[in-house]
């Protein structure tokens, strides 16, 4: 399924065909009685991110709310005290049809495509502070270079995002970014702070983590990994290199393990934050984990890509962050949260988000 994302036209055709085919069903599903105390949460990449923190807070502090986590992959591991099902299992479909609240992180496919059009509320936590351009800001989002098709696509994309009651944002800067990228007005961007950007204490070890973002061509990812490994081998201060792949690059693991794994170099495709919180240094190209590393865990960060100009022309980087990128990998040229101008929340962000959701009911 992940290979579909590498072909923009095919991806768009499948999405449009599914939307048309499911339209009458979703209208019928809208009249099914729904429980407002039944909240469905999911994340396409697993039990992680803001979604995990919200699910845990509800389970811990709100016994009047029944939390259901819907898994995109039956192998995803969820906390034992949180009820979970694969999203297209019988129980997964049941909760898609009978719940009033749906909380997603990447899009509605986090929780399944059978959710009703009406009679419920959708909320988007998003899944990281954008460095590369997203949504309507990015050329990569559009399926083709044809202006007429792109105009139609952009209208459909913006229209589809009106279904969300709210996008939760860390600060005003991010709210403005989301309004433009998702084609929504300011009434749909609520500033609550992000749970994943609350300051956390962590014990550092002599480790570094490299977490490349997903690229349509995994040759690019492989080349970046080789550059980082070569640079790591040229120094002696940092003792361990953890390379955390994007979930869509999971198929690369066997090859990379066979060719590069040593006592000091490891590969993983799990929870990147577990590695980051112990690392002195975090390197990425365009992954939002750079902001988490600097803001949440107070790590030193490097934004590195060996052909920034090409990436800007194909996908785009947000202008306020583009000057932080480097074409050369230098372990001494690092960034902190002051460079990103993003700061940790000093409140319980999960509690704020839950408060706002309850207000819609």
């Amino acid at each position: 399924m992940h290979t579909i994302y590498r072909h923009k036209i095919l991806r768009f055709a499948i999405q449009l065909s599914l939307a048309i085919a499911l339209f009458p069903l979703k209208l019928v599903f809208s009249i099914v009685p729904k429980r407002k105390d039944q909240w469905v949460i999911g994340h396409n990449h697993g039990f992680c991110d803001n979604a995990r923190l919200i699910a845990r807070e509800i389970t811990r502090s709100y016994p009047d709310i029944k939390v259901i986590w819907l898994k995109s992959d039956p192998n995803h591991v969820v906390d034992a005290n949180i009820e979970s099902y694969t999203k297209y299992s019988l129980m997964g479909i049941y909760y898609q049809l009978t719940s009033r609240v749906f909380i997603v992180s990447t899009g509605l496919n986090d929780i399944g495509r059978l959710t009703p059009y009406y009679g419920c509320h959708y909320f988007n936590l998003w899944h990281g502070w954008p460095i590369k351009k997203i949504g309507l800001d990015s050329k990569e989002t559009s399926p083709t270079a044809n202006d007429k098709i792109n105009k139609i696509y952009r209208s459909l994309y913006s229209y589809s995002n009106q279904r969300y009651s709210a996008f939760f944002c860390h600060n005003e800067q991010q709210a403005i970014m989301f309004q433009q990228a998702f084609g929504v007005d300011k009434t749909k961007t609520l500033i609550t702070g992000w749970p994943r950007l609350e300051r956390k204490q962590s014990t550092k070890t002599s480790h570094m983590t490299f977490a490349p973002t997903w690229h349509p061509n995994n040759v690019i990812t492989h080349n970046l990994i080789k550059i980082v490994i070569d640079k790591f081998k040229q120094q002696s201060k940092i003792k361990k290199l953890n390379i955390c792949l994007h979930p869509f690059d999971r198929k690369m693991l066997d090859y990379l393990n066979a060719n590069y794994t040593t006592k000091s170099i490891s590969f993983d495709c799990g929870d990147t934050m577990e590695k980051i919180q112990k690392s002195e240094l975090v390197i990425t190209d365009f992954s939002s984990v750079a902001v988490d590393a600097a803001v949440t865990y107070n790590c030193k960060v490097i934004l590195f890509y060996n052909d920034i100009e090409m990436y800007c022309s194909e996908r785009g980087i947000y202008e306020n962050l583009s000057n932080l990128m480097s074409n050369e990998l230098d372990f001494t040229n690092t960034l902190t949260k002051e460079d990103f101008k993003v700061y940790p929340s000093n409140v319980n962000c999960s509690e704020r988000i839950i408060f706002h959701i309850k207000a819609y009911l």
Side-chain angles (χ1 to χ4, degrees):
M1 184 67 177
H2 298 158
T3 56
I4 291 173
Y5 290 90
R6 302 185 190 275
H7 306 283
K8 295 191 290 185
I9 296 177
L10 178 59
R11 179 181 66 197
F12 174 58
I14 291 174
Q15 289 172 339
L16 185 60
S17 299
L18 281 172
I20 293 170
L22 292 173
F23 180 79
L25 279 177
K26 292 163 84 70
L27 285 179
V28 172
F29 295 159
S30 297
I31 65 175
V32 174
K34 295 168 180 57
R35 292 179 52 180
K36 68 178 183 180
D37 63 343
Q38 193 170 276
W39 294 16
V40 169
I41 306 180
H43 194 306
N44 198 39
H45 298 157
F47 188 59
C48 59
D49 212 338
N50 284 323
R52 176 174 64 184
L53 298 172
I54 294 292
R56 286 176 171 171
E57 178 69 18
I58 298 171
T59 303
R60 178 171 55 247
S61 305
Y62 296 85
D64 57 318
I65 299 173
K66 181 177 183 178
V67 177
I68 306 296
W69 185 281
L70 292 188
K71 300 185 287 187
S72 296
D73 184 330
N75 295 316
H76 288 165
V77 178
V78 180
D79 287 352
N81 63 336
I82 296 176
E83 194 172 343
S84 64
Y85 303 95
T86 306
K87 61 188 178 184
Y88 293 121
S89 65
L90 287 176
M91 291 303 296
I93 293 171
Y94 169 79
Y95 285 114
Q96 287 183 59
L97 303 188
T98 61
S99 301
R100 181 68 59 86
V101 173
F102 297 96
I103 304 170
V104 304
S105 301
T106 68
L108 295 180
N109 194 41
D110 286 348
I111 50 173
R113 297 188 181 277
L114 300 179
T115 51
Y117 278 128
Y118 306 107
C120 49
H121 291 281
Y122 296 91
F123 300 92
N124 198 318
L125 301 168
W126 202 235
H127 55 284
W129 189 286
I131 296 174
K132 58 189 177 188
K133 290 186 176 181
I134 58 173
L136 297 174
D137 291 338
S138 173
K139 298 175 184 177
E140 197 275 338
T141 304
S142 299
T144 174
N146 184 286
D147 289 340
K148 290 183 179 179
I149 294 177
N150 274 337
K151 187 174 182 180
I152 294 171
Y153 177 82
R154 292 171 69 86
S155 296
L156 290 173
Y157 183 84
S158 178
Y159 176 77
S160 69
N161 285 328
Q162 306 313 311
R163 188 188 301 185
Y164 293 107
S165 296
F167 289 81
F168 294 110
C169 310
H170 186 65
N171 60 15
E172 180 68 26
Q173 176 189 354
Q174 191 181 70
I176 293 170
M177 190 183 299
F178 282 4
Q179 290 160 27
Q180 181 174 309
F182 300 128
V184 297
D185 63 43
K186 65 187 302 183
T187 62
K188 288 187 178 289
T189 51
L190 301 183
I191 300 171
T192 56
W194 265 7
R196 66 185 276 174
L197 293 180
E198 292 177 21
R199 182 78 176 91
K200 296 180 177 64
Q201 297 298 321
S202 61
T203 302
K204 304 300 182 190
T205 57
S206 184
H207 287 201
M208 62 179 283
T209 295
F210 177 48
T213 193
W214 177 76
H215 295 275
N217 184 349
N218 58 22
V219 173
I220 295 173
T221 304
H222 186 204
N223 288 338
L224 289 170
I225 289 171
K226 288 195 292 185
I227 292 171
V228 172
I229 289 176
D230 288 344
K231 194 71 175 179
F232 170 73
K233 289 179 176 178
Q234 293 170 19
Q235 58 83 56
S236 58
K237 182 181 178 182
I238 300 175
K239 304 302 182 184
K240 181 70 184 289
L241 168 61
N242 305 305
I243 300 178
C244 300
L245 299 180
H246 189 282
F248 286 177
D249 287 324
R250 183 177 297 276
K251 290 184 178 180
M252 295 178 66
L253 271 177
D254 288 344
Y255 172 81
L256 293 170
N257 277 321
N259 288 274
Y260 298 106
T261 295
T262 66
K263 289 183 179 180
S264 59
I265 300 173
S266 67
F267 295 88
D268 191 17
C269 202
D271 187 350
T272 304
M273 294 305 159
E274 291 182 3
K275 298 291 192 302
I276 284 177
Q277 63 184 320
K278 300 175 183 177
S279 297
E280 290 181 10
L281 176 64
V282 173
I283 304 172
T284 184
D285 41 12
F286 308 104
S287 172
S288 62
V289 299
V291 179
D292 297 84
V295 175
T296 305
Y297 298 108
N298 205 30
C299 303
K300 295 177 181 178
V301 172
I302 295 174
L303 293 179
F304 158 71
Y305 191 72
N306 58 341
D307 197 340
I308 298 171
E309 187 175 333
M310 181 192 74
Y311 195 85
C312 285
S313 67
E314 293 181 352
R315 169 96 190 215
I317 309 169
Y318 282 106
E319 287 74 12
N320 61 321
L321 296 172
S322 61
N323 64 324
L324 304 181
M325 299 293 306
S326 175
N327 275 309
E328 299 291 334
L329 184 54
D330 179 355
F331 287 178
T332 65
N333 184 20
T334 60
L335 307 168
T336 69
K337 60 178 176 288
E338 303 295 336
D339 296 293
F340 289 102
K341 296 182 172 58
V342 180
Y343 302 96
S345 298
N346 55 8
V347 298
N348 186 326
C349 302
S350 296
E351 198 172 75
R352 279 188 172 186
I353 289 170
I354 295 164
F355 171 82
H356 281 291
I357 293 174
K358 293 182 84 169
Y360 280 89
L361 305 178

